[in-house]
Amino acid sequence: MSGVEEIRTKLLQARRLPDGRAKTELLENLAEWAKAEWDRSLEAQVLLELSDSYSFGGGPNRQPVVFARLLKIYDEFPAELGAHTHSIHWQLKWLTGALVSKTSVPRASAHKWLDEFESRYRQRGYSLRPVLSLRSSLAVLEGEHAAARAFMDASIAAPRDEMANCEACERNAWGDLQVDLGDDEAACRDWEPLLAGRLRCREEPARVLAKALMPLVRLGRLDEARSAHLRGYQLARGRAGLRASVAYHIEFCALTGNEARGLEILTEHKDWLLDRPVKSRGRRHHATSVLVLLRQLATLGLSDLQIGTVTVAGALDSLTAEVDRSCARSDARNGSTYISDLTARRLGAQPTGDWLPLGFSAKLPERVTRKPVAPRTAAASARTGDRAEAEAAEDLARDHLEHDAARAESYARQAVELGGSALEPEAVARLGSLLVEAISRQPGREPDLIDAALRAAARWQGISEPDELRLIFTAARAYHEQGRHGEAAALFGEAMPRVDIAYQPYTAAMTRKAYSESLRALRQHKAAAEQLVIAARLIEEHPESRVAYAQVSWSAAESLSASGNPVAAIAAYEKAVELWRELGVTGPLARCRRAAAWLYLGQNRRGLALKLMRETRDELREAVEISAPEAAAELAETEKQLRQMMRARPEA
């Protein structure tokens, strides 16, 4: 095998490796090897892979050196490297973006790379849209906000072409600038397509869902902020490249009365707490967000609390010093106090005056005590309260459980206001549940129901775990019914390990089924199948639940099939067929048999697949003769699919 062939073979091996140091080291060796060969196109290919590995896998800060070598080869051998033109200019854009924001790169060097970037794009006739966007980013760091706005406006006005960032990434940058300029409303407007889930890319909407948390809170759009946390944290969780996003979730929790949830997230990522890798995206953002939480914990008397290998007080001291040094370096490099001013604003932020329950059961250590928080009503916390009046209003609310839910809601809120601080925690929790019940009886009130249920769940915490869990599930089902499956899955996932505390087997099974539907909507088919298998076991011994058992078995089969487990899927279909046959239900029985037949065909069991499809056809013909109502339509569909199956793989 020649040297070129060996390099190509090892390059394929490198591509199969996950991003990280091992992959980078292999590519570094290949880059040195390729330099001695005659194939300049292959050398460029290796250098492109190495540059990409530096971007996503970390390692020595040699990316500019590697890319400068690549550009030199490109200029000397334009014909040989012609096929790499797009890739080279695409990576040049990302490299320049990294250099613009990197403190260790002198500002003059950043401007030099920007000029090189612009020059090469002009030479190739590419749009300057990404160039102008990066000039805007550097102007922000330099404290030149008017120039930053002008550059971004020019970028947006420039035509899109093959070198433009995807729209998701572009809108991320637009919103960033608006926040930098103090316009949260404009930022959320720019981010709206990502927040709504209409735009996606490799790291979106995870980054924007995190960045939008505090702007949404400052705008008073608390339901949207809670939604962004429920959806966004699951996307960013555990991803080192998104540690800044994880940190924004910690900061959000610290400032919305959810310090326990923030501590839970911080503890889950405790290895990042004092981790200072050679290259770490968003390290200063991460440290700043963590400091916001640590300061809150210290205020609550938890300075001695252990997090990983350090205490809250120890981490506070260490991270404060680190952030101060980082801000000083950034200010010196950028020639402005933009970074230190921004960091000071974040560290000086005070918790929002309106507590925002998220639906998680994390608790701070017992030595931390909080006064019970009453439902949101005007003047509720300011009144001393009258227990008798509150109890009378509660009775009126109950009298109205059934016939006038709107009036019942009004009386329940009145009871809270009248009771004020005179009510014990259990009484406040009970009123919260009553309010949830009243809202649940009024169509179209799902957003209010979610908020009321999560507030009531938090009030039951430490008083009645079954009540707390049932209310979390109430909110999860409301999200599910609205088609907001990311939020639903987050809440279902939080409470599902304790579902047996809240419900008897049948209701627990149906709750797992609802969870599975949200997971399937999120294309998490394996997890959906796991929930359905458990649900089926819960009700298989209950004769009164045969219809539900059949439905759950059918759904489990579909999820198992979608998750790439045809053997288990066939077994689940066969169980569903058995149950539908027992119940005498024609349509679902036929659909399950057809689905199983196709799975058999996919396993190269053509004879069995055709046999099952023909048996289904024959049974449906008999059913048509005795006037089974569903049989005619199912027979037509079965005959159609049988013809398709025979054409798909003709018999030998």
Side-chain angles (χ1 to χ4, degrees):
M1 182 183 292
S2 69
V4 168
E5 291 172 334
E6 281 194 69
I7 292 172
R8 292 190 190 281
T9 300
K10 289 188 178 294
L11 188 58
L12 288 174
Q13 294 173 1
R15 286 171 180 163
R16 298 190 191 103
L17 294 174
D19 291 328
R21 193 64 203 138
K23 179 176 182 177
T24 301
E25 288 178 351
L26 174 56
L27 289 168
E28 286 173 338
N29 291 332
L30 291 179
E32 288 305 305
W33 189 356
K35 188 188 295 186
E37 298 294 337
W38 54 267
D39 193 329
R40 299 280 70 84
S41 177
L42 176 59
E43 182 181 3
Q45 197 171 353
V46 173
L47 292 174
L48 280 167
E49 297 275 357
L50 177 57
S51 176
D52 192 60
S53 182
Y54 281 141
S55 293
F56 292 103
N61 188 23
R62 298 193 64 244
Q63 190 178 14
V65 176
V66 167
F67 214 87
R69 171 180 161 190
L70 175 62
L71 291 176
K72 184 174 184 295
I73 298 171
Y74 180 74
D75 292 339
E76 291 176 354
F77 303 94
E80 289 88 334
L81 269 64
H84 300 296
T85 294
H86 181 277
S87 296
I88 290 170
H89 287 82
W90 183 263
Q91 280 205 24
L92 175 61
K93 173 181 64 177
W94 291 111
L95 169 66
T96 307
L99 298 178
V100 161
S101 60
K102 197 167 182 60
T103 306
S104 60
V105 176
R107 188 157 43 123
S109 296
H111 278 286
K112 180 181 177 182
W113 273 98
L114 262 171
D115 291 342
E116 178 77 9
F117 179 30
E118 179 171 344
S119 173
R120 288 183 177 272
Y121 269 45
R122 286 187 183 279
Q123 290 173 18
R124 300 297 307 179
Y126 295 135
S127 170
L128 297 185
R129 191 178 178 99
V131 176
L132 293 164
S133 178
L134 288 182
R135 290 201 181 280
S136 174
S137 297
L138 185 54
V140 168
L141 294 174
E142 294 172 337
E144 301 292 341
H145 287 181
R149 170 77 74 185
F151 280 130
M152 186 58 77
D153 288 345
S155 171
I156 294 170
R160 286 184 61 84
D161 66 3
E162 61 189 294
M163 287 298 166
N165 293 339
C166 76
E167 188 177 351
C169 289
E170 283 193 331
R171 284 188 171 272
N172 182 332
W174 300 351
D176 278 347
L177 177 63
Q178 302 292 4
V179 171
D180 291 334
L181 300 180
D183 194 339
D184 291 334
E185 188 75 53
C188 291
R189 191 163 53 246
D190 284 335
W191 287 334
E192 191 277 333
L194 290 101
L195 296 175
R198 296 196 301 275
L199 287 178
R200 293 180 177 274
C201 73
R202 180 173 181 168
E203 294 183 339
E204 298 296 355
R207 293 184 301 171
V208 160
L209 285 168
K211 290 178 179 180
L213 288 166
M214 290 314 301
L216 288 169
V217 169
R218 290 192 292 266
L219 292 169
R221 293 160 60 175
L222 298 183
D223 178 65
E224 293 174 70
R226 175 165 49 214
S227 171
H229 173 67
L230 293 175
R231 293 164 52 211
Y233 177 63
Q234 296 303 315
L235 297 174
R237 181 181 186 182
R239 296 174 62 183
L242 291 177
R243 67 173 64 198
S245 298
V246 171
Y248 280 126
H249 287 279
I250 292 173
E251 184 176 349
F252 162 75
C253 291
L255 296 175
T256 56
N258 293 285
E259 295 92 346
R261 172 65 172 159
L263 180 59
E264 183 178 56
I265 296 172
L266 178 58
T267 302
E268 187 175 2
H269 300 85
K270 61 182 181 294
D271 291 344
W272 295 354
L273 190 58
L274 300 178
D275 174 33
R276 299 181 184 86
V278 175
K279 178 178 180 181
S280 171
R281 293 181 177 186
R283 171 63 188 176
R284 184 179 58 249
H285 280 293
H286 179 267
T288 302
S289 294
V290 170
L291 278 174
V292 174
L293 174 64
L294 294 176
R295 288 183 171 193
Q296 285 296 107
L297 295 175
T299 300
L300 293 171
L302 293 172
S303 294
D304 295 332
L305 182 68
Q306 198 78 20
I307 306 174
T309 60
V310 296
T311 63
V312 166
L316 256 175
D317 291 342
S318 175
L319 290 181
T320 298
E322 178 186 343
V323 168
D324 287 346
R325 290 193 300 269
S326 177
C327 288
R329 286 196 301 270
S330 295
D331 288 351
R333 184 264 194 173
N334 297 325
S336 80
T337 60
Y338 165 74
I339 291 296
S340 57
D341 291 343
L342 173 65
T343 303
R345 285 198 301 273
R346 288 174 64 187
L347 292 176
Q350 295 300 307
T352 177
D354 201 355
W355 166 60
L356 181 64
L358 301 175
F360 295 89
S361 298
K363 293 191 291 188
L364 290 172
E366 292 299 325
R367 67 180 177 271
V368 175
T369 58
R370 291 184 182 276
K371 294 180 180 179
V373 184
R376 281 189 295 179
T377 58
S381 60
R383 297 183 55 131
T384 301
D386 187 314
R387 182 193 301 273
E389 287 187 32
E391 290 175 349
E394 180 181 356
D395 290 340
L396 286 170
R398 294 190 184 283
D399 290 342
H400 287 78
L401 245 173
E402 296 263 345
H403 307 297
D404 193 341
R407 184 170 293 183
E409 178 187 351
S410 176
Y411 280 128
R413 295 188 186 278
Q414 186 179 355
V416 174
E417 185 172 354
L418 290 169
S421 59
L423 296 176
E424 292 89 355
E426 186 170 352
V428 175
R430 189 175 63 244
L431 283 171
S433 292
L434 182 59
L435 187 61
V436 170
E437 185 177 354
I439 295 173
S440 70
R441 293 176 180 271
Q442 302 174 61
R445 295 287 303 280
E446 285 81 8
D448 295 322
L449 176 63
I450 290 165
D451 186 72
L454 293 179
R455 290 179 186 278
R459 292 182 202 104
W460 280 112
Q461 192 176 23
I463 299 173
S464 170
E465 190 175 15
D467 285 292
E468 176 196 359
L469 291 169
R470 283 193 288 268
L471 286 158
I472 293 174
F473 283 125
T474 295
R477 279 191 293 271
Y479 275 131
H480 172 268
E481 289 164 8
Q482 286 186 292
R484 297 169 67 178
H485 294 293
E487 297 96 319
L491 289 183
F492 276 130
E494 161 66 14
M496 198 60 73
R498 298 177 290 158
V499 68
D500 295 338
I501 296 173
Y503 298 124
Q504 294 299 315
Y506 176 81
T507 309
M510 293 301 98
T511 303
R512 288 186 182 276
K513 183 174 183 293
Y515 182 23
S516 76
E517 290 166 357
S518 286
L519 290 170
R520 287 182 67 183
L522 297 172
R523 296 185 176 86
Q524 298 178 30
H525 297 292
K526 182 179 179 181
E530 290 169 356
Q531 292 300 318
L532 289 162
V533 169
I534 297 172
R537 289 174 186 157
L538 287 172
I539 54 177
E540 63 182 340
E541 301 299 329
H542 297 265
E544 70 279 7
S545 302
R546 304 309 274 176
V547 172
Y549 186 19
Q551 291 171 335
V552 167
S553 298
W554 187 3
S555 296
E558 291 177 331
S559 292
L560 287 164
S561 177
S563 66
N565 192 343
V567 175
I570 289 171
Y573 275 125
E574 288 174 347
K575 184 62 181 178
V577 166
E578 174 189 328
L579 292 165
W580 290 127
R581 191 181 299 282
E582 174 188 313
L583 292 164
V585 181
T586 301
L589 185 153
R591 290 193 281 277
C592 286
R593 296 189 85 190
R594 291 197 299 261
W598 283 108
L599 286 175
Y600 279 128
L601 186 67
Q603 291 186 296
N604 295 320
R605 301 172 72 180
R606 174 180 168 76
L608 187 54
L610 289 171
K611 179 176 181 291
L612 183 54
M613 195 72 84
R614 286 166 177 155
E615 287 176 353
T616 304
R617 176 199 61 191
D618 294 343
E619 285 187 17
L620 288 168
R621 284 176 176 172
E622 292 178 10
V624 168
E625 292 177 2
I626 59 173
S627 301
E630 292 181 277
E634 293 298 337
L635 174 59
E637 181 62 26
T638 302
E639 290 175 333
K640 171 186 168 185
Q641 291 193 28
L642 177 58
R643 291 192 296 271
Q644 291 172 338
M645 185 176 284
M646 295 179 72
R647 286 197 300 269
R649 183 174 293 182
E651 292 181 280

